[in-house]
Amino acid sequence: MDLGMWIFWGAIVTLLAGCYIVDFLTGGKYSLKAQEKSLNRNSRVADSLRQVGRNDHQKGPF
C-alpha cells in the first residue's frame, strides 16, 4: 500500500510541476482571452443547436 501511495502522489506532483513549468516557459501564451472564450462558447452553442436539429429530424412520427 505504501508503494501505491508514493506512485499516486508522485504522479500528481509531477503533473502539477510539469504544467507549471510549461506555463512558465511559454509565458502564459496558452491562456484564453475573453474574446477567445466567447468565440469558443458561441461555436459550442451553434454546434449544440445543430446536433439538436439533426436528432429532431432523425426521429419519425412514432
Side-chain angles (χ1 to χ4, degrees):
M1 184 75 176
D2 191 39
L3 180 62
M5 181 186 69
W6 279 104
I7 292 172
F8 174 76
W9 288 113
I12 297 293
V13 169
T14 303
L15 182 65
L16 291 176
C19 292
Y20 177 77
I21 290 171
V22 168
D23 188 51
F24 179 76
L25 292 177
T26 58
K29 176 182 171 184
Y30 294 106
S31 62
L32 292 175
K33 297 176 184 164
Q35 183 179 7
E36 292 173 352
K37 286 182 183 177
S38 66
L39 290 175
N40 287 339
R41 185 182 68 231
N42 290 341
S43 67
R44 285 195 306 265
V45 168
D47 187 48
S48 297
L49 292 174
R50 279 193 299 272
Q51 290 293 332
V52 168
R54 287 183 193 141
N55 291 337
D56 285 344
H57 295 298
Q58 289 175 353
K59 294 181 181 176
F62 299 108

